[in-house]
Amino acid sequence: MSNQTKIRTAVIGLGWPGMQHLKGYIACDRSEVIAVCDLDEKRCEEVVQEYGIPIFFTDHRKMLENGEIDAVSVCLPNFLHAAISIDALNAGKHVLCEKPPACTAQEAQAMADAAEKNKKKLMYAVVQRFSGSAQLLKKMIDNGELGEIYFGKAGYVRRRGIPIGREGWFVDKSKSGGGALIDIGVHALDCVWWLMGAPKPVAILGAAYSKFGHLVPKDIKYDVDDATFAQIRFENGATIVLEATWSINLPGGGYVQLAGTKGGAQLNPLTIYTEENGEEINKTPDAPSVNSFDEETKHFVDCILDGSEPISSASQGVTLMQMLDGIYESSEKKREVQL
Ligand SMILES: NC(=O)c1ccc[n+]([C@@H]2O[C@H](COP(=O)([O-])OP(=O)(O)OC[C@H]3O[C@@H](n4cnc5c(N)ncnc54)[C@H](O)[C@@H]3O)[C@@H](O)[C@H]2O)c1
């Protein structure tokens, strides 16, 4: 990569997230989009025309034979993340894969192994880490401004909002790996866990419920959770409490909160809770307003060109999936599980 100044990218899967990746690469002056791929030929035609992309493919294997492409975004239904990311890594491409990393930790491990074997970057697109307030808060935490962070609380709560997706893949466990937890809980968990320094999980208590299948059409298979709650304990003594719902008879909303020995914080909007001389004070700094998807793709491109490790790395993807697997396992076994 030493003399290369631009990464030649391609996007596989042109749904909403795929389009955010595409726009991010276009906005990045260190990348150039040279191809897109989707099973839907008409969709490919529309996208190449609108964005002036040189070529499109309807078969990812054909696209991966193209030696010009350095890196690909995998923006496909969850059950394709591992197989197609591994194909891309084996074809010598760097991979930015959408969340969740995979359907299971075992799949995420196979992806990490393929990245290592081929000496290519594998980054996970966990976009909440890239907001201006999350980036600023992470710097404050790493500077020790909140002291020791011993508790985190995060939720992604929809009162009503069960996604179905093309051919119902979101609500079919064999294609999604799970429901609300793996789809949106992953955002909340990843963000709070990363802010806490990505400690090693040791024990998990989880409860997953599936109570709203009657809201989806009868001909669609529905065997996933629509509300999941968990507590995770870490080797360093810290804990996280998590909730994720697609449907619940309570108010919706999203939050990430952290408690430290010197101060606490929450995101959206960034608020710092601290005190001076026994008085509560507001020391909340102004967070920059950025496009999180643009920041995410830029980080991936920078890591490739600069030879640095992505902040959402292949190994973190494995641990994240171990936590999600652990929550489902704990729920099934109706007891705490050790990792
Ligand atoms: N980061 C975010 O905020 C965010 C938001 C939504 C979805 N996602 C994630 O992005 C991924 C895709 O979600 P989506 O909502 O776009 O799904 P989707 O089903 O709407 O679209 C996926 C696209 O991939 C195409 N596709 C399917 N199989 C393909 C194959 N074998 N080869 C090429 N193209 C193929 C489909 O034709 C479709 O255009 C999921 O993993 C989801 O969890 C992330």
Side-chain angles (χ1 to χ4, degrees), residues 12-18 37-40 43 58-60 74-78 80-81 84 98-100 125 127 165-166 169-170 183 187 293 296:
I12 315 178
L14 300 174
W16 184 83
C37 174
D38 199 289
L39 290 178
D40 181 343
R43 180 84 191 114
T58 52
D59 181 340
H60 80 277
V74 172
C75 301
L76 298 167
N78 302 353
L80 296 170
H81 287 191
I84 294 188
E98 256 305 331
K99 51 56 60 175
V127 72
R166 281 157 227 251
W169 74 262
F170 271 101
D183 179 39
H187 278 302
F293 280 101
E296 176 182 84

Side-chain angles (χ1 to χ4, degrees), residues 79 146 154 224 248 268:
F79 69 101
L146 302 186
V224 292
I248 193 165
N268 308 320

Side-chain angles (χ1 to χ4, degrees), residues 28-58:
C28 174
D29 56 13
R30 299 181 93 190
S31 76
E32 182 186 0
V33 186
I34 61 171
V36 291
C37 174
D38 199 289
L39 290 178
D40 181 343
E41 189 166 350
K42 194 164 162 284
R43 180 84 191 114
C44 288
E45 280 168 356
E46 282 165 9
V47 171
V48 294
Q49 203 170 9
E50 185 174 353
Y51 294 91
I53 313 294
I55 27 172
F56 74 80
F57 297 85
T58 52

